[in-house]
Amino acid sequence: MQLHFSPSMRSLTISSSNGFSALMKIKVAARHISYRTLFHTILILAFLLPFVFILTALVTLEGVNKCSSFDCLGRRLGPRLLGRVDDSGRLVRDFYKILNEVKTGEIPPDLNLPDSFDQLVADMKNNQYDANTFAFMLRGMMEKFEREIRESKFAELMNKHFAASSIPKGIHCLSLRLTDEYSSNAHARKQLPPPELLPLLSDNSYHHFILSTDNILAASVVVTSTVQSSLNPEKIVFHVITDKKTYAGMHSWFALNPANPAIVEVKGVHQFEWLTRENIPVLEAVENQNGIRNYYHGNHVAGANLSDTNPRKFASKLQARSPKYISLLNHLRIYLPELFPNLDKVVFLDDDVVIQRDLSPLWEIDLQGKVNGAVETCRGDDEWVMSKHFRNYFNFSHPLIAKNLDPDECAWAYGMNIFDLRAWRKTNIRETYHSWLRENLKSNLTMWKLGTLPPALIAFKGHVHPIDPSWHMLGLGYQNNTNVEHVKKAAVIHYNGQSKPWLQIGFEHLRPFWTKYVNYSNDFVRNCHILES
């Protein structure tokens, strides 16, 4: 930049140093201003003008020309003129202030919410939203996506519940084909066990297992895995109990596929003379009371306030409403001393277990006068599966529950239990079980929701002897993160929960522990396409 004074010192020209046209021309009236003042003015202008030029260029490049007021321009130029270039802290504070205002404000009803981030960016460019509108839009989008995710999760849980409660086509086919075989094939109807082995059904020198189920495929896996894992399979006696509709198919399976050298007996509930309405009045009420049937078989979403719960609690409520909980087969274990009056000690197995180790040592465990040998579920490596206390099963706001139970008392597991039937017959366990079932029915199921375990926790109170947790590993039907190495070491693995291994919703990495005991070469299994991928 160059300064040119006229010979008379009455005018001043400021031009660029590269010879372009004059930028500023000043005429000085000598009568009104002194040369000293003029000289100082020229020096100040010479110092300031380069900075003005640079700032103007920056403002133009950064889009400040879009500002609609001098205030906007001042906010952009001010910090730079004062040497404060980084105003990010102030911008963050302003943004927080806007977010707080938007947090408590109402989302405008006419606000159009984008469906994606790309659409949000496009709308911002096209409509030039101010900060408040942008914040409201961001909040609206997040709330909308949260609602959709929540609704999807509840829908997923409902679908999973229906899948778990239904009978897979392959298993239904297996039952029908075996039932038909029973009516047409004499071999399928042969006596189980043969007449010469009948005395062994009440011989206490043998190891007696009891299995209550209407699932033929599951029963076959339990029996096969127990026999194959045993060091003395010839000492095993299985008592398989099923309902009347499944009896013919269940009998056909074990008649045509004997579990030699073990002994298998198949009986239907209709074949037990003791199971009369007089002996099980509470279960009669449970099966026939309309309110109870509607609770277990009705609309599981009607009347439910999904905004008042979370997916985990909702899943627990759905599981508690499984129709199996009002099935006589599920309650049958409470009547074992009466159903098997000649037996002293038995191991009861659920149909969703797999045996991986010889269980004969269970008969050697000293229960110290207790009735029930069971694994406690209030302590263990898996904090989700092994963290169950009475508070997890009972409603402690109910006065009867609060008065009689301790919420911190340790729960124990059904599914693999050693029962000393001699000690059991000296107790009032069955009467206690019935009494509490009646009270829960009177309270409209407000004392507990989850099936047969809660009344058993009360009925067996003081009669449980804890056994080593390695005997019984739980959670394979609802814990996706189950440690596979721990599964391999457990004597009994239990697929309790909705994700049974015979269902498509079963966990893929845990299913092989069960499917290894399925006889896929069997004609009935093959023709019904069991678990065919």
Side-chain angles (χ1 to χ4, degrees):
M1 182 172 289
Q2 297 177 353
L3 303 177
H4 300 281
F5 293 93
S6 66
S8 61
M9 297 294 289
R10 291 179 175 270
S11 67
L12 169 67
T13 302
I14 302 173
S15 63
S16 60
S17 58
N18 55 5
F20 286 112
S21 60
L23 294 175
M24 187 178 295
K25 192 169 186 177
I26 302 174
K27 292 186 178 181
V28 181
R31 296 176 184 177
H32 301 290
I33 186 168
S34 69
Y35 288 120
R36 183 182 295 274
T37 303
L38 177 62
F39 182 72
H40 289 162
T41 302
I42 291 170
L43 287 179
I44 291 170
L45 289 173
F47 179 76
L48 289 179
L49 283 175
F51 291 97
V52 172
F53 177 80
I54 293 169
L55 287 175
T56 304
L58 286 173
V59 165
T60 302
L61 289 173
E62 292 181 10
V64 175
N65 55 323
K66 293 183 179 179
C67 289
S68 58
S69 66
F70 284 107
D71 178 60
C72 173
L73 187 62
R75 285 199 304 270
R76 292 294 299 271
L77 294 179
R80 290 182 172 87
L81 288 172
L82 296 175
R84 299 194 306 269
V85 177
D86 185 7
D87 57 355
S88 59
R90 182 185 59 77
L91 290 174
V92 169
R93 288 193 297 274
D94 289 347
F95 191 59
Y96 285 158
K97 182 180 178 182
I98 292 170
L99 288 179
N100 284 328
E101 291 172 358
V102 168
K103 180 181 177 181
T104 56
E106 291 290 332
I107 297 177
D110 58 341
L111 194 63
N112 258 334
L113 296 178
D115 293 322
S116 66
F117 179 75
D118 288 341
Q119 189 181 337
L120 174 65
V121 172
D123 288 352
M124 288 287 297
K125 288 180 179 177
N126 295 334
N127 301 316
Q128 298 183 9
Y129 293 129
D130 58 32
N132 269 55
T133 304
F134 171 72
F136 269 120
M137 188 163 289
L138 208 58
R139 174 188 157 191
M141 286 180 68
M142 290 186 69
E143 289 180 358
K144 174 187 173 186
F145 292 150
E146 283 175 0
R147 281 194 306 272
E148 290 175 352
I149 291 171
R150 186 180 177 84
E151 289 168 4
S152 297
K153 185 63 179 176
F154 284 124
E156 177 193 349
L157 290 171
M158 280 301 302
N159 292 334
K160 191 172 183 179
H161 172 70
F162 292 136
S165 303
S166 61
I167 301 172
K169 184 171 66 174
I171 291 178
H172 182 60
C173 164
L174 184 67
S175 181
L176 291 177
R177 285 176 178 266
L178 287 167
T179 300
D180 180 64
E181 194 72 12
Y182 183 83
S183 63
S184 61
N185 185 347
H187 292 290
R189 296 192 301 272
K190 70 182 180 182
Q191 186 173 344
L192 289 177
E196 64 274 15
L197 298 180
L198 287 177
L200 301 182
L201 297 179
S202 55
D203 187 337
N204 284 295
S205 67
Y206 281 72
H207 298 147
H208 294 266
F209 292 90
I210 297 174
L211 172 64
S212 176
T213 180
D214 60 356
N215 187 327
I216 299 171
L217 188 67
S220 74
V221 168
V222 174
V223 172
T224 302
S225 63
T226 304
V227 173
Q228 290 187 12
S229 302
S230 175
L231 298 178
N232 302 107
E234 69 281 356
K235 299 290 290 182
I236 289 177
V237 177
F238 254 101
H239 305 269
V240 180
I241 307 172
T242 191
D243 56 17
K244 190 172 183 178
K245 67 178 175 59
T246 315
Y247 171 75
M250 189 76 75
H251 188 105
S252 292
W253 175 267
F254 287 106
L256 299 173
N257 302 279
N260 296 328
I263 299 165
V264 177
E265 173 194 34
V266 177
K267 290 191 76 172
V269 291
H270 58 288
Q271 296 173 322
F272 287 94
E273 294 180 1
W274 185 88
L275 289 175
T276 63
R277 293 183 181 182
E278 291 74 22
N279 289 328
I280 51 172
V282 176
L283 293 184
E284 181 70 14
V286 168
E287 288 189 329
N288 293 298
Q289 184 175 319
N290 286 334
I292 303 303
R293 291 188 65 80
N294 287 338
Y295 175 81
Y296 286 101
H297 291 281
N299 188 334
H300 297 345
V301 176
N305 187 357
L306 298 184
S307 61
D308 243 3
T309 187
N310 60 52
R312 184 170 176 176
K313 288 181 179 177
F314 185 64
S316 177
K317 288 179 180 179
L318 285 177
Q319 186 177 347
R321 294 180 72 166
S322 172
K324 74 176 184 177
Y325 291 128
I326 58 172
S327 163
L328 176 57
L329 289 175
N330 203 42
H331 290 268
L332 207 59
R333 69 194 86 192
I334 205 68
Y335 308 115
L336 294 181
E338 290 77 22
L339 299 181
F340 299 94
N342 298 316
L343 296 182
D344 295 339
K345 203 171 191 179
V346 300
V347 168
F348 186 92
L349 298 173
D350 275 353
D351 65 0
D352 52 356
V353 303
V354 173
I355 314 305
Q356 303 187 126
R357 203 164 73 214
D358 179 40
L359 298 186
S360 58
L362 291 175
W363 273 263
E364 308 304 321
I365 294 176
D366 181 5
L367 297 182
Q368 301 177 10
K370 303 295 186 181
V371 173
N372 179 5
V375 168
E376 290 184 319
T377 55
C378 64
R379 57 183 69 89
D381 294 333
D382 193 326
E383 293 182 0
W384 188 17
V385 176
M386 302 298 284
S387 61
K388 302 295 190 298
H389 295 78
F390 275 30
R391 73 170 71 91
N392 298 102
Y393 298 98
F394 297 100
N395 173 21
F396 276 88
S397 63
H398 193 286
L400 268 181
I401 296 294
K403 180 182 177 181
N404 292 279
L405 302 179
D406 177 5
D408 295 320
E409 187 165 344
C410 189
W412 45 269
Y414 254 166
M416 195 287 291
N417 303 86
I418 316 159
F419 289 124
D420 186 335
L421 301 185
R422 290 171 301 178
W424 190 338
R425 294 185 185 103
K426 299 174 185 178
T427 70
N428 62 345
I429 288 174
R430 175 166 59 92
E431 289 72 20
T432 304
Y433 188 89
H434 280 176
S435 172
W436 280 91
L437 271 180
R438 287 190 190 98
E439 290 297 332
N440 196 32
L441 287 172
K442 286 179 187 176
S443 72
N444 197 27
L445 300 180
T446 57
M447 295 167 70
W448 69 78
K449 300 291 187 187
L450 188 60
T452 55
L453 181 56
L457 291 174
I458 302 174
F460 284 100
K461 191 171 167 55
H463 298 290
V464 178
H465 177 75
I467 62 175
D468 192 280
S470 65
W471 283 111
H472 186 188
M473 182 177 184
L474 299 122
L476 277 71
Y478 66 87
Q479 170 62 294
N480 189 29
N481 296 323
T482 300
N483 188 310
V484 173
E485 291 306 313
H486 290 174
V487 173
K488 293 176 182 177
K489 297 174 184 177
V492 177
I493 55 174
H494 193 173
Y495 292 84
N496 58 313
Q498 292 179 316
S499 301
K500 304 298 185 190
W502 56 82
L503 299 174
Q504 292 299 328
I505 59 173
F507 300 126
E508 291 294 334
H509 65 295
L510 299 177
R511 182 178 285 134
F513 293 97
W514 185 85
T515 55
K516 68 186 289 188
Y517 296 106
V518 176
N519 183 5
Y520 287 104
S521 64
N522 181 275
D523 288 340
F524 292 99
V525 172
R526 190 172 66 252
N527 292 334
C528 286
H529 310 288
I530 300 292
L531 285 178
E532 189 177 70
S533 56

